[in-house]
Amino acid sequence: MSIPEHESPAVESYVRLKALEMHLRAHGFTTHHVAGGLVVRNTTSTARTCCGARGVAGDTVTCRPNEEDGNRYWFFTSWQQPIAESERITDALVMIKGYLGAPA
């Protein structure tokens, strides 16, 4: 899916996060926007949490240019690890499902 580029980096990031959000919701994640990011929660997580083997796993995903990839827009974890190029929604979805303990 090709997403048209916008003049404002903030708008660009928001549009790309909205595209990711639609896919995440279709796969059962809960989401909401915060300043500069998208909070993603898996309420049926199989990942180990502080509350035991099952619980709610979540992260705040951001979208910004990646200097290591010619300033293409990428999704990043809250700890600044790259998830996937923003044009690769399916790859981002698979990575997020993996680290938030969602079934494949």
Side-chain angles (χ1 to χ4, degrees):
M1 171 170 85
S2 180
I3 302 169
E5 291 205 22
H6 297 72
E7 291 181 23
S8 164
V11 171
E12 185 68 29
S13 294
Y14 178 78
V15 169
R16 291 171 185 266
L17 286 169
K18 281 300 270 185
L20 177 62
E21 178 183 34
M22 290 186 322
H23 289 271
L24 289 165
R25 284 185 173 208
H27 284 262
F29 288 88
T30 59
T31 61
H32 71 273
H33 286 270
V34 294
L38 178 68
V39 176
V40 180
R41 287 193 174 95
N42 177 12
T43 58
T44 60
S45 177
T46 57
R48 189 138 196 85
T49 69
C50 63
C51 303
R54 303 194 100 211
V56 176
D59 190 20
T60 301
V61 176
T62 58
C63 183
R64 61 180 169 79
N66 185 347
E67 294 175 4
E68 295 177 4
D69 190 28
N71 283 328
R72 292 187 188 121
Y73 279 81
W74 277 63
F75 297 116
F76 288 85
T77 65
S78 60
W79 58 95
Q80 305 309 311
Q81 293 296 311
I83 297 171
E85 187 178 344
S86 65
E87 295 285 332
R88 302 185 64 118
I89 298 283
T90 302
D91 291 349
L93 178 65
V94 169
M95 290 293 292
I96 292 167
K97 286 176 86 168
Y99 79 82
L100 292 184

